Amino acid sequence: MRIGVITFPGSLDERDAQRAIRIAGAEPVALWHGEHDLHGVDALVLPGGFSYGDYLRAGAIASVSPIMAEVIDAANSGMPVLGICNGFQMLTEAHLLPGGLIRNDHGLFIRRDQALRVENTDTAWSTGFELNDEIVIPLKNGEGGFIASEDELDRLEGEGRVVFRYLGVNPNGSLRDIAGITNERGNVVGLMPHPEHAVEPGFGPDMTDAMRSGVDGLTLFTSAIQALQAV
């Protein structure tokens, strides 16, 4: 399986995402925001960072980059697409996911190992989890507060489209503790925490059994590979 990772001006974590894909067992393919070519990939990752310096709004300029026309078409055709942090912001700005992300309610950039609960295992990126699994994934953002109208929030909850929810502490003021959501089809997922930073023992979050041993993020990438193989 070939999974594309798109680099935008200001992306920071594309190399980490490529490494996560390689560790999961797929071939990472580097893609450039200025192209109109997905190079035949089977899935896509929009990585974290500060595309275009977060000017205008985080993810807003990147959402109209040339390659996003192909991303939107691919997503609407059912290709698995994962947006991580800034990538999540891009997905909402491109209207592939509802709602939006605003500045953290405490006004500060936050970096921490964050506990999450898995609430949807039917997406292309979460099939490897068990429902209500409690996982730990690093988080780092300044504009990570998820917002939507009350009607939209009720719809997301009612349709089971909340994939990940913050546990223990809400780090950024996200409404209803929402950390990640999916589209109706389940092929597009966006989340603020960074699963690509929790894929290899010795480099992940501290866990109860050992320091730096957390690899919960790897399951998102292996889930996508399994979902593609099942097609």
Side-chain angles (χ1 to χ4, degrees):
M1 297 296 171
R2 303 172 74 246
I3 301 179
V5 181
I6 304 172
T7 296
F8 299 84
S11 294
L12 297 179
D13 296 303
E14 67 269 44
R15 295 296 182 90
D16 301 81
Q18 291 170 20
R19 181 173 179 80
I21 290 164
R22 188 176 296 110
I23 291 172
E27 177 188 350
V29 178
L31 302 176
W32 181 241
H33 76 107
E35 297 182 346
H36 281 285
D37 189 351
L38 298 181
H39 295 278
V41 299
D42 302 296
L44 288 165
V45 174
L46 279 61
F50 303 92
S51 59
Y52 294 93
D54 281 349
Y55 292 117
L56 186 59
R57 289 183 310 275
I61 300 176
S63 72
V64 294
S65 288
I67 203 168
M68 287 301 293
E70 280 63 44
V71 173
I72 291 169
D73 287 345
N76 289 335
S77 297
M79 180 182 289
V81 178
L82 178 67
I84 302 170
C85 195
N86 192 216
F88 185 11
Q89 295 161 340
M90 295 177 205
L91 292 176
T92 62
E93 291 288 343
H95 306 294
L96 287 171
L97 291 175
L101 286 306
I102 63 171
R103 182 164 293 281
N104 298 345
D105 60 351
H106 44 68
L108 302 174
F109 187 92
I110 188 167
R111 180 179 62 85
R112 56 175 286 126
D113 292 340
Q114 178 66 48
L116 306 172
R117 183 171 59 243
V118 181
E119 300 202 350
N120 182 332
T121 59
D122 293 327
T123 80
W125 300 92
S126 62
T127 58
F129 293 107
E130 296 292 331
L131 195 62
N132 295 320
D133 271 352
E134 295 184 7
I135 63 176
V136 178
I137 293 179
L139 172 85
K140 50 178 185 175
N141 63 67
E143 297 184 37
F146 179 76
I147 60 168
S149 68
E150 284 298 312
D151 287 345
E152 188 66 62
L153 290 168
D154 289 341
R155 187 164 73 90
L156 289 171
E157 300 272 16
E159 295 177 358
R161 289 170 55 190
V162 176
V163 184
F164 302 101
R165 204 182 301 267
Y166 295 118
L167 278 182
V169 62
N170 183 326
N172 45 37
S174 291
L175 298 180
R176 304 195 189 181
D177 300 329
I178 291 173
I181 60 173
T182 186
N183 63 344
E184 293 181 5
R185 193 168 181 170
N187 62 303
V188 179
V189 169
L191 76 164
M192 286 311 295
H194 286 258
E196 76 279 16
H197 296 326
V199 298
E200 189 173 12
F203 299 92
D206 292 341
M207 305 297 282
T208 55
D209 56 340
M211 293 177 61
R212 303 295 185 189
S213 64
V215 294
D216 290 334
L218 185 61
T219 302
L220 280 89
F221 301 98
T222 56
S223 291
I225 295 170
Q226 294 168 3
L228 289 167
Q229 290 172 336
V231 174

